Amino acid sequence: MGGDHGPPVVIPAVVRALQGLPDNVRFLLHGDEAAIRSGFAKHLEALQRVEIRPAERVIAMDEKPAQALRRGKGTSMWNAVEAIRDGQAVAAVSAGNTGALMAISKLILRMSAELERPALVTSIPTPRGVTTFLDVGANIDCDAERLVEFAIMGEAFHRAAHGVPRPKVGLLNVGSEEMKGHEEVREAHRVLREGKIDLDYRGFVEGDDITRGVVDVIVTDGFTGNVALKAMEGVAKFIISELRTTLSSGLLAKLGAVLARSALLKFRERMNPTPAAPLLGLNGIVLKCHGGASNRDFAMAIRLAVDLARSDFSAEIERNMRRLPDALAEPAQPPTDAVASNGAASLGATE
Amino acid sequence: MGGDHGPPVVIPAVVRALQGLPDNVRFLLHGDEAAIRSGFAKHLEALQRVEIRPAERVIAMDEKPAQALRRGKGTSMWNAVEAIRDGQAVAAVSAGNTGALMAISKLILRMSAELERPALVTSIPTPRGVTTFLDVGANIDCDAERLVEFAIMGEAFHRAAHGVPRPKVGLLNVGSEEMKGHEEVREAHRVLREGKIDLDYRGFVEGDDITRGVVDVIVTDGFTGNVALKAMEGVAKFIISELRTTLSSGLLAKLGAVLARSALLKFRERMNPTPAAPLLGLNGIVLKCHGGASNRDFAMAIRLAVDLARSDFSAEIERNMRRLPDALAEPAQPPTDAVASNGAASLGATE
């Protein structure tokens, strides 16, 4: 029922997604039974793989998370998430209210990580493919442990979503030297570099590496990630609009623009952000599709949910999370007499 | 002597800048006397407004700041900054090593603000003009007081550099509601909103507002600012390069690209970051021009330095800085009995 359009987008998306999915993938659709049933009038075959779960109420797009928690029980969103907890579904996809979806998912499924809230992931296009970038706004204050959790979850997500066997992971910083950045990133760097967490850590990366594709996964706190993502979106919008103005000024440029139109359209499509983001750190797979999603977008979100559910994603995260306490432990301090300013004593110790 | 080119860029830039500047603007050029003198061979008239200050040594572009401090005395950079302290110059412009320039300037001129290091400013193009954005990397950990100092300095800079009488100031955050963001931005928001600092504060802005021009000055900590700036540069580079590929694929697009070429060139020029950034928070005006600056870039940096020196910039900053301690003081707590959940007691107090 969620998003700007509700069933008129979700139902065609289900029909579309079903075409590429194995026969054993089935759907529970939560919401207004009559609306859903009439939406399938022309797709009776698809309806055979769908079970309608009537829900009388919905969460409004502008509802506050706290309010959604208080009065959410029995809404379509609540029931969709509850179906995961009860083992009736393996993943949920919603185009509804993001804050409410996060709060309800956290309450019903509980967190597998020690996060304040599920982490928000986004996928940024690069010349080589896609960068998985997190957290883009859910967890504002992050210590080193949170950052390492993001690395663990982002890495497993990237493998499941993009089929990259061993994604390369980087930590966002203001320079590549060990001394750079605030304490939290330096400590997370130490933990990841030590290699006790099973992932391919490549060290610090900088803001311009997000679109360069030097690593597959880039980790940062939710404040920096949210600002960087929105700043990038702002630049993309600005450039496209400037370009449009420039290309329509002057007769030759106008003619050029007409001729280049299809190329520009292809280009704009590539710059479109991915339509869905998983909420990472939950005991269960929940995907948030953006509110204005088209049929095509929502179908892509469904396929992503299926990819995640069929992968080892959750088990991989769990395995690395169990390594975290040991990895976070302070490195053993050398005995005091081994620390000498000229290094002689430590050299002596290896003799 | 600094930058990738040294005198072959700096001297033509001085000649170029002089054309638009009042007669009483004069230059001290620090460095290799023979090289400088021969650079003016074809510009003897300009040489009359130049005094050459011989310096035998230079700071290398890759020198560490600590090293630059130890062995910097007598270098061209050191002498240029020292001339400000000694009242012989009102501003310094350098295309040299940024870290060294910051360290040397801080040592010689001292800070007027309570900052770790001078703040780095950049100017971002928007549909309406330019956004002044700081700090973009010098001060990584910032409390509320630092953020308010950035607001004070950025506002005075924007007025001096762009002639906007009353620049609008925003604080970068992950949402526009009062409750959003970490403690430091919320506290800086409280201080700025109270109005004890004399500037036009417009509240929180988000990442995509940087290129939208909703406010003139956007303030953030050096970590977030550096990441956002580099992320934006990365997107701009990515888009231009994607566009080039797209426009050269297919005959029609190629023809279109040829016809649109001059428009695209104009556009790229507009996207070029401004060539110079002031180091804010020093007792004196020091501008850092980027290392690869052209004659034209360096001439623009010189004109900006003159604009700053002729403005009330420094006095305005000083006035607002003096208001800071009072503005930072915790707001008076209302007496306990005035705080009632239904508001009756506080209503009563106004009767």
Side-chain angles (χ1 to χ4, degrees):
Chain A
M1 304 303 290
D4 301 342
H5 311 292
V9 152
V10 174
I11 291 166
V14 168
V15 173
R16 186 190 253 242
L18 271 172
Q19 290 161 6
L21 291 175
D23 285 348
N24 64 347
V25 176
R26 297 178 53 82
F27 291 85
L28 304 181
L29 294 189
H30 302 264
D32 180 333
E33 185 171 8
I36 297 174
R37 199 164 292 281
S38 82
F40 278 99
K42 291 182 184 161
H43 309 285
L44 291 175
E45 207 182 338
L47 197 55
Q48 295 180 356
R49 289 166 72 182
V50 167
E51 189 180 318
I52 301 172
R53 295 284 179 95
E56 282 175 18
R57 293 189 303 127
V58 298
I59 303 275
M61 288 302 270
D62 58 355
E63 216 155 316
K64 296 267 175 221
Q67 199 183 350
L69 286 181
R70 274 198 307 275
R71 58 165 294 279
K73 208 164 181 178
T75 59
S76 53
M77 185 187 280
W78 186 285
N79 292 355
V81 175
E82 216 168 40
I84 301 180
R85 187 200 62 193
D86 297 345
Q88 302 177 359
V90 289
V93 182
S94 168
N97 181 326
T98 309
L101 185 62
M102 290 174 76
I104 287 175
S105 301
K106 182 181 167 185
L107 181 74
I108 296 178
L109 299 176
R110 306 270 163 201
M111 301 295 289
S112 61
E114 299 274 316
L115 299 170
E116 190 188 333
R117 298 200 281 167
L120 277 172
V121 174
T122 193
S123 303
I124 312 277
T126 76
R128 308 180 200 188
V130 158
T131 299
T132 290
F133 184 43
L134 76 163
D135 177 5
V136 294
N139 299 276
I140 298 307
D141 292 305
C142 292
D143 58 13
E145 185 174 356
R146 304 299 150 266
L147 294 172
V148 177
E149 288 182 339
F150 295 159
I152 291 172
M153 300 189 297
E155 194 254 3
F157 170 72
H158 192 88
R159 178 167 38 245
H162 303 291
V164 175
R166 187 97 180 141
K168 299 187 280 288
V169 178
L171 196 55
L172 194 58
N173 200 350
V174 296
S176 53
E177 301 89 3
E178 304 256 315
M179 309 274 300
K180 290 268 183 177
H182 48 63
E183 198 190 317
E184 291 79 6
V185 292
R186 278 184 281 127
E187 171 66 3
H189 177 68
R190 179 190 71 75
V191 171
L192 288 166
R193 201 189 36 192
E194 271 188 357
K196 289 183 183 166
I197 306 291
D198 180 25
L199 49 76
D200 183 9
Y201 177 62
R202 297 298 179 103
F204 290 137
V205 296
E206 300 188 55
D208 49 347
D209 292 320
I210 302 172
T211 44
R212 274 175 58 204
V214 286
V215 294
D216 301 299
V217 180
I218 295 185
V219 167
T220 193
D221 64 272
F223 189 89
T224 312
N226 182 277
V227 165
L229 175 64
K230 286 180 181 158
M232 291 192 291
E233 287 170 349
V235 168
K237 259 184 225 161
F238 173 68
I239 292 184
I240 302 271
S241 117
E242 282 284 295
L243 212 56
R244 196 175 290 133
T245 314
T246 312
L247 286 179
S248 59
S249 67
L251 197 63
L252 277 188
K254 232 177 239 170
L255 184 56
V258 171
L259 291 174
R261 177 181 300 256
S262 78
L264 278 173
L265 282 178
K266 240 168 63 190
F267 167 73
R268 271 179 60 189
E269 187 161 310
R270 180 150 163 60
M271 276 308 295
N272 264 351
T274 31
L279 307 186
L280 293 182
L282 293 167
N283 294 307
I285 296 166
V286 178
L287 270 87
K288 170 64 177 75
C289 201
H290 66 83
S294 65
N295 305 349
R296 186 169 157 278
D297 292 343
F298 205 92
M300 279 174 67
I302 291 171
R303 287 199 203 99
L304 178 56
V306 174
D307 283 345
L308 291 180
R310 304 181 80 196
S311 75
D312 281 330
F313 171 64
S314 304
E316 286 165 8
I317 291 178
E318 210 177 296
R319 267 200 299 277
N320 256 337
M321 287 293 185
R322 277 200 300 264
R323 296 184 178 113
L324 194 49
D326 179 40
L328 283 166
E330 282 297 314
Q333 294 294 326
T336 328
D337 64 357
V339 182
S341 61
N342 59 7
S346 26
L347 272 175
T350 65
E351 281 171 3
Chain B
M1 304 304 290
D4 301 342
H5 310 291
V9 153
V10 175
I11 291 166
V14 168
V15 173
R16 187 190 264 251
L18 272 173
Q19 291 160 6
L21 291 175
D23 286 348
N24 64 347
V25 176
R26 296 178 53 81
F27 290 85
L28 305 180
L29 294 189
H30 302 265
D32 179 334
E33 185 171 9
I36 297 174
R37 198 163 292 280
S38 80
F40 277 100
K42 291 182 184 162
H43 309 286
L44 290 175
E45 206 182 339
L47 197 55
Q48 295 179 357
R49 287 166 72 182
V50 167
E51 187 179 319
I52 301 172
R53 295 283 178 98
E56 282 177 16
R57 293 188 306 125
V58 298
I59 303 274
M61 287 302 270
D62 58 356
E63 215 155 318
K64 297 268 174 221
Q67 198 185 348
L69 286 181
R70 273 198 309 274
R71 58 166 295 281
K73 205 161 183 180
T75 59
S76 53
M77 184 187 282
W78 187 286
N79 291 356
V81 176
E82 217 169 39
I84 301 180
R85 187 200 62 195
D86 297 344
Q88 302 176 0
V90 288
V93 182
S94 168
N97 181 328
T98 309
L101 184 63
M102 291 174 75
I104 287 175
S105 300
K106 182 181 166 184
L107 180 76
I108 296 179
L109 299 176
R110 306 271 163 199
M111 302 295 290
S112 61
E114 299 274 316
L115 299 170
E116 189 188 332
R117 297 200 281 167
L120 277 171
V121 174
T122 192
S123 303
I124 313 278
T126 77
R128 309 180 199 187
V130 158
T131 300
T132 290
F133 184 43
L134 75 164
D135 177 5
V136 294
N139 298 276
I140 299 305
D141 292 305
C142 292
D143 58 13
E145 184 174 356
R146 302 301 150 266
L147 294 172
V148 177
E149 288 183 340
F150 294 158
I152 292 172
M153 299 188 299
E155 194 253 3
F157 169 72
H158 192 89
R159 176 167 38 247
H162 303 291
V164 175
R166 187 97 179 139
K168 299 188 281 288
V169 178
L171 195 55
L172 194 58
N173 200 350
V174 296
S176 52
E177 302 89 2
E178 304 254 319
M179 309 272 300
K180 290 269 184 177
H182 48 63
E183 200 190 317
E184 291 79 8
V185 290
R186 278 183 280 128
E187 172 66 4
H189 177 68
R190 179 191 70 75
V191 172
L192 288 166
R193 200 191 37 195
E194 271 188 358
K196 289 183 182 165
I197 305 291
D198 180 25
L199 48 78
D200 183 7
Y201 177 62
R202 297 298 179 105
F204 290 136
V205 296
E206 300 188 55
D208 49 347
D209 292 320
I210 302 172
T211 44
R212 276 174 57 204
V214 287
V215 294
D216 300 299
V217 180
I218 295 185
V219 166
T220 193
D221 64 272
F223 189 88
T224 311
N226 182 277
V227 165
L229 175 64
K230 285 181 182 158
M232 291 193 290
E233 286 170 350
V235 168
K237 258 185 226 162
F238 173 68
I239 293 185
I240 301 271
S241 119
E242 282 285 296
L243 212 55
R244 196 175 291 134
T245 314
T246 311
L247 286 179
S248 58
S249 68
L251 199 63
L252 277 187
K254 232 176 240 169
L255 185 56
V258 171
L259 291 174
R261 176 182 300 257
S262 78
L264 279 173
L265 281 178
K266 241 169 63 192
F267 167 73
R268 272 179 59 188
E269 186 161 313
R270 180 152 162 59
M271 276 308 295
N272 264 350
T274 31
L279 307 186
L280 293 182
L282 292 167
N283 294 307
I285 296 165
V286 178
L287 270 88
K288 170 64 177 75
C289 201
H290 66 82
S294 65
N295 304 349
R296 187 169 156 277
D297 292 343
F298 205 94
M300 279 175 68
I302 291 171
R303 288 199 202 98
L304 178 56
V306 174
D307 283 346
L308 291 180
R310 305 181 80 194
S311 74
D312 281 331
F313 172 64
S314 304
E316 286 164 8
I317 291 178
E318 209 178 299
R319 269 199 297 276
N320 256 337
M321 288 291 183
R322 276 200 299 265
R323 296 182 177 115
L324 194 50
D326 180 40
L328 283 166
E330 282 298 313
Q333 294 295 325
T336 329
D337 64 359
V339 182
S341 61
N342 59 7
S346 27
L347 272 176
T350 65
E351 277 171 8

